[in-house]
């Protein structure tokens, strides 16, 4: 697989992950946003849990950055295909942590979490996902 094809595949994976991250929140908001909250006393604990989940991205992001540097160093050498695979593997794990705030927000719709808090959690996941885009300099 050429470098251009790998970059295209990684770009498509990023867009797919963006959908996997934000669509559940949009669907839950559409289906249950106007309903009566099930357990309103869980609003604050779920919001705090979503904020704490942001910290799960820290070690995964540093591992992703190390893989990014290793991939850049391997460009044009025999190790390049393996470096791209390692980068994709590390980024896949980091995607899961980046999606947590939005997924917790999707659950928080059921307990009646306010729209501003839902928006902030969705944006935090979006910002984390943006960090995992493949830079143009790589390739």
């Amino acid at each position: 697989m050429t470098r251009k094809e790998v970059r295209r595949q990684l770009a498509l994976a990023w867009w797919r992950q963006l959908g996997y991250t934000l669509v559940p929140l949009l669907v839950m908001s559409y289906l249950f946003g106007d309903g009566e909250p099930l357990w309103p006393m869980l609003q604050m604990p779920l919001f705090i849990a979503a904020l704490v989940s942001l910290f799960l991205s820290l070690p995964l992001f540093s591992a992703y950055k190390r893989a990014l540097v290793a991939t850049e160093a391997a460009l044009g050498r025999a190790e390049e295909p393996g470096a791209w695979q390692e980068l994709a593997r590390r980024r896949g794990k980091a995607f899961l942590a980046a999606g947590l705030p939005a997924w917790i927000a999707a659950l928080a719709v059921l307990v009646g979490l306010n729209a501003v808090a839902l928006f902030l959690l969705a944006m935090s996941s979006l910002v984390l996902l943006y960090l995992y885009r493949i830079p143009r300099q790589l390739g």
Side-chain angles (χ1 to χ4, degrees), residues 43-77:
Q43 290 175 1
M44 190 56 71
L46 279 175
F47 183 70
I48 291 170
L51 289 179
V52 168
S53 74
L54 289 170
F55 293 103
L56 295 176
S57 284
L58 292 175
L60 295 171
F61 181 72
S62 74
Y64 166 75
K65 291 302 274 185
R66 284 191 301 274
L68 199 59
V69 169
T71 303
E72 185 177 22
L75 290 179
R77 296 186 2 219

Side-chain angles (χ1 to χ4, degrees), residues 6-22:
V6 171
R7 286 183 52 81
R8 185 176 187 285
Q9 185 179 21
L10 290 173
L12 287 174
W14 186 88
W15 283 104
R16 192 170 32 254
Q17 184 63 39
L18 181 66
Y20 293 155
T21 300
L22 296 179

Side-chain angles (χ1 to χ4, degrees), residues 19-30:
Y20 293 155
T21 300
L22 296 179
V23 166
L25 177 58
L26 296 173
V27 169
M28 292 293 282
S29 294
Y30 178 75

